[in-house]
Amino acid sequence: MDVGELLSFKPTPTPKRPNEEDSDSDDDQSKASKYRRLGKTKSDYLLHTASIVLPKEPVISDKEREDILRFVETEATEGDVLDETVVKKLVLNFEKKALRNREMRIKFPDQPEKFMDSEIDLHEALQDLSAVATVPDQYPLLVELKCVNSLLELLSHDNTDISTKVVNLLQELTDVDILHESEEGAEELINAMAEAEAPALLLHNLARLDEQVPDERDAVHNTLGIIENLTEFRPELCSEVAKQGFLQWILKRLKLKVPFDGNKLYATEILSILLQTTPDNRKLLGELDGIDVLLQQLAFYKRNDPSGAEEQEAMENMFDSLCCALMEPTNRDRFLRGEGLQLMNLMLREKKMSRNGSLKVLDHALAGPEGRDNCNKFVDILGLRTVFPLFMKTPKRKRILTVDQHEEHVVSIIASMLRNCQGSQRQRLLAKFTENDLEKVDRLLELHFKYMDKVDRTEKEMEVMGPETVSE
C-alpha cells in the first residue's frame, strides 16, 4: 500500500453503544412518530405517557422515622461548634452592623429608605448572635468584648423591632437552665447586666411597647422573663429591680382595664417573687399604695370565680403577695384603713374560690402583737359569725387548701384573737365557746387529740429512723 492509499484510507464505522438517555429519547421520538402515523391526538399521547407506572418511593416505618429525627437532633453537624474565634466573628459582625445603622440614621434621619437596609442587616446580626446562648462558657468573652453593653444600648433604639429582638436575645442568654451549665459564665453575664442597670433600661423600653401588637406583647412577656431569670439566679437583685421602678410598673399593669391575659399572670408572679424574701420591697409596696391596688384587684373575685386555671393562678399570686406585704407591720395599718378586713370577711361569706386566699390573708393580718387592732376590728364587723362555722366544719366545695391547711389557718385566726382581743371584743369571743352546749369546746378537743396523735406518730418514726437520719 503506497502513501496515497494510506492517506485515502477510512476505517469502517462501528455502531456506538447507546446510553440510557439516548435510548429513552429515541423511544419517545419513535412513540411520537407512531402516534402521528396512527392519527392519534396530542391528548391521547399525554394519556398514554401518564399511564406509565413510576417506581414507588421506599416506605419509611414509624420507628425508622423516629430514629432519623433522633439522629438529626443529637448529631452535631460540621460548623455547629461555637469556639472563641466564631464568637468573636459574630460579635464583630454585630458591632459593625450596629455602627453602620447608627451612622445611617444620623446621616438620613428623615429618610427611612436610606437606613432600612442597615436595619435589616442589624436584625439579622442579632439573630446570628442568638447562637451564643447555647454556649454559656463563652459569656465571659461577650462581657470582655463589651457586647452586653452594646445590646443594652439597643433597648432604646428608635425601631421597636430592634429593641424587641434584643429583649428576645437577652431572655435566651439569661435562661436559668443555660446559666446553670456554666457558673463562671453566668456570674460574668449577671454582673455585667447589674452594673449596667439592665432592669431600668428594660423598664424604659417597656413604657413604649404596645401590647395590642403581637410582637411587642411577646416582648413584654420576655422582659418579665428576664427579670425572673435574674432574680432566680441571684435573689439579692430583687431589691434593685424594685428600686429601679419595676414594682411601680407591675402595680400600674395590674390596674389596666384590659381582658385577662398571660402578661397579667406573669406580672403577678414577678410581684410575688419580689415580695417573698425582701422586706424593703414590702415597705416600698406600701408606700406606693400597693395594698389598695391588690385589694381592688381581688375585690372582683368576691362574687366571681376565675374563668380559667391561669386566672386562678393569678388570683392566688395576688393573695400570696398580700400575705407577704402584711408581714411588714406598717402595712397592717394600711390594710385596716383600706377595709381589707371587710373584704376578706365578705369573701368568706360568699363561698367562692377566693375564700381560700382570704383565709390565709386574715391569718397574716391578725397574727402577732401588730395584729391587735385588726383583731378587735374583726370582732366588731361580726367576723366571729364567719370564722366559727369554718372552725366547726371544713368545707368541701371550692376548697383549694387541704383539710390540714384549712384547719391550721382557722385555728391560727382564733388563737390570734384570743391573744389580742381586749374588753368587750374578748368577752364576745369567749362567749362563742359556751354556745350550743359547749360544742366548740368539743371541736377544739377533737382537733387537739387529732394533732397529738400526729405528733406521737412522728416522734416514733423519728426514733426508728435515728438522729443521724433526721438531721440529714
Side-chain angles (χ1 to χ4, degrees):
M1 183 180 293
D2 57 12
V3 177
E5 291 176 342
L6 287 173
L7 293 175
S8 61
F9 175 75
K10 293 182 180 179
T12 304
T14 56
K16 181 176 69 171
R17 186 169 67 91
N19 56 28
E20 294 180 0
E21 293 180 358
D22 293 337
S23 63
D24 290 342
S25 60
D26 292 339
D27 290 342
D28 291 340
Q29 290 176 0
S30 62
K31 288 176 182 177
S33 61
K34 179 179 178 182
Y35 271 80
R36 282 197 297 270
R37 287 196 304 271
L38 294 175
K40 300 290 184 181
T41 63
K42 183 178 180 181
S43 60
D44 294 330
Y45 173 64
L46 293 174
L47 287 172
H48 172 75
T49 55
S51 65
I52 299 174
V53 180
L54 297 175
K56 294 183 178 180
E57 294 184 0
V59 179
I60 301 176
S61 65
D62 292 338
K63 185 178 183 305
E64 291 173 334
R65 185 178 289 104
E66 291 177 2
D67 292 340
I68 293 171
L69 290 174
R70 193 179 301 110
F71 176 80
V72 171
E73 291 175 357
T74 58
E75 186 70 13
T77 58
E78 185 179 356
D80 281 345
V81 179
L82 289 174
D83 56 12
E84 185 175 330
T85 304
V86 176
V87 173
K88 283 183 177 180
K89 287 181 179 178
L90 290 173
V91 173
L92 180 61
N93 179 57
F94 158 68
E95 295 287 359
K96 284 182 177 178
K97 302 300 183 185
L99 179 60
R100 176 64 176 167
N101 178 244
R102 191 181 305 117
E103 291 175 347
M104 295 300 290
R105 274 189 167 271
I106 293 172
K107 191 175 181 179
F108 306 103
D110 300 324
Q111 296 175 275
E113 66 278 1
K114 295 286 187 179
F115 57 75
M116 188 56 63
D117 290 340
S118 66
E119 217 125 288
I120 294 172
D121 292 340
L122 176 58
H123 194 276
E124 292 175 353
L126 288 169
Q127 179 64 39
D128 295 338
L129 202 59
S130 64
V132 184
T134 61
V135 282
D137 292 335
Q138 300 295 340
Y139 284 3
L141 183 59
L142 284 183
V143 176
E144 181 184 344
L145 297 173
K146 306 295 183 183
C147 182
V148 176
N149 292 38
S150 299
L151 288 172
L152 293 174
E153 287 176 5
L154 285 179
L155 288 173
S156 58
H157 196 281
D158 292 336
N159 187 348
T160 55
D161 289 339
I162 298 297
S163 66
T164 55
K165 188 64 182 176
V166 173
V167 169
N168 297 344
L169 175 56
L170 290 174
Q171 198 275 334
E172 293 175 6
L173 290 172
T174 58
D175 185 88
V176 175
D177 294 332
I178 298 295
L179 293 179
H180 285 301
E181 292 180 11
S182 174
E183 295 292 332
E184 180 185 357
E187 287 290 340
E188 291 282 346
L189 178 64
I190 300 302
N191 286 339
M193 294 184 69
E195 290 174 4
E197 297 186 346
L201 297 173
L202 289 166
L203 185 62
H204 181 267
N205 183 52
L206 274 180
R208 61 183 183 144
L209 295 180
D210 180 7
E211 292 192 51
Q212 300 300 320
V213 180
D215 288 344
E216 296 186 17
R217 181 169 59 247
D218 293 342
V220 173
H221 192 275
N222 288 332
T223 301
L224 296 174
I226 295 170
I227 298 301
E228 182 184 21
N229 294 338
L230 293 176
T231 54
E232 182 175 346
F233 189 81
R234 188 178 292 178
E236 57 268 26
L237 285 176
C238 286
S239 180
E240 289 300 319
V241 169
K243 287 178 182 177
Q244 293 178 28
F246 253 93
L247 199 56
Q248 190 169 3
W249 181 88
I250 290 173
L251 294 175
K252 183 179 178 182
R253 178 62 177 80
L254 292 180
K255 289 192 294 184
L256 281 181
K257 294 182 179 180
V258 294
F260 178 82
D261 60 2
N263 285 346
K264 184 171 183 177
L265 169 60
Y266 215 168
T268 61
E269 289 181 11
I270 301 300
L271 178 62
S272 179
I273 291 171
L274 294 178
L275 299 176
Q276 209 162 28
T277 57
T278 315
D280 290 342
N281 289 352
R282 298 169 191 158
K283 293 180 182 178
L284 181 59
L285 180 78
E287 294 168 2
L288 295 172
D289 293 329
I291 302 296
D292 284 340
V293 173
L294 288 173
L295 290 175
Q296 290 167 10
Q297 294 300 309
L298 290 170
F300 172 78
Y301 301 105
K302 178 176 60 177
R303 293 189 177 90
N304 301 280
D305 280 333
S307 59
E310 288 191 349
E311 189 172 358
Q312 178 183 332
E313 185 180 351
M315 179 189 73
E316 292 173 6
N317 288 336
M318 287 189 282
F319 274 121
D320 291 341
S321 298
L322 192 54
C323 289
C324 290
L326 290 173
M327 295 172 72
E328 175 61 34
T330 56
N331 288 335
R332 305 278 185 97
D333 296 332
R334 295 186 175 98
F335 180 77
L336 178 61
R337 294 197 303 270
E339 299 186 350
L341 289 172
Q342 288 88 332
L343 177 60
M344 298 301 120
N345 192 35
L346 287 172
M347 285 181 172
L348 290 177
R349 291 182 180 179
E350 289 293 337
K351 301 179 181 180
K352 296 293 183 179
M353 204 172 288
S354 58
R355 174 170 55 182
N356 302 271
S358 62
L359 202 61
K360 291 195 298 182
V361 170
L362 282 175
D363 189 1
H364 283 77
L366 307 184
E370 300 86 358
R372 181 175 291 109
D373 293 339
N374 282 322
C375 286
N376 290 317
K377 183 65 175 179
F378 190 65
V379 175
D380 291 339
I381 63 173
L382 308 179
L384 299 181
R385 295 183 183 179
T386 310
V387 170
F388 273 98
L390 297 175
F391 172 71
M392 294 301 295
K393 183 179 180 181
T394 301
K396 296 180 180 180
R397 292 181 63 253
K398 295 186 178 181
R399 178 168 51 79
I400 302 173
L401 302 171
T402 64
V403 174
D404 289 347
Q405 289 173 336
H406 189 276
E407 291 174 351
E408 177 187 353
H409 288 304
V410 173
V411 171
S412 179
I413 289 170
I414 296 175
S416 295
M417 288 191 291
L418 286 170
R419 292 191 191 98
N420 291 325
C421 286
Q422 298 173 343
S424 62
Q425 288 90 353
R426 184 173 180 81
Q427 291 176 2
R428 290 166 62 182
L429 175 61
L430 294 174
K432 279 288 180 182
F433 287 93
T434 64
E435 295 175 350
N436 299 329
D437 198 21
L438 304 176
E439 64 175 3
K440 296 177 180 62
V441 176
D442 293 338
R443 172 63 172 163
L444 191 60
L445 290 172
E446 177 189 337
L447 292 174
H448 173 74
F449 290 128
K450 172 184 174 180
Y451 289 103
M452 277 299 296
D453 289 341
K454 281 192 174 185
V455 171
D456 292 339
R457 287 198 303 270
T458 304
E459 288 179 349
K460 289 177 181 178
E461 290 175 359
M462 291 170 65
E463 290 177 1
V464 173
M465 294 167 61
E468 295 181 359
T469 309
V470 173
S471 61
E472 291 177 0

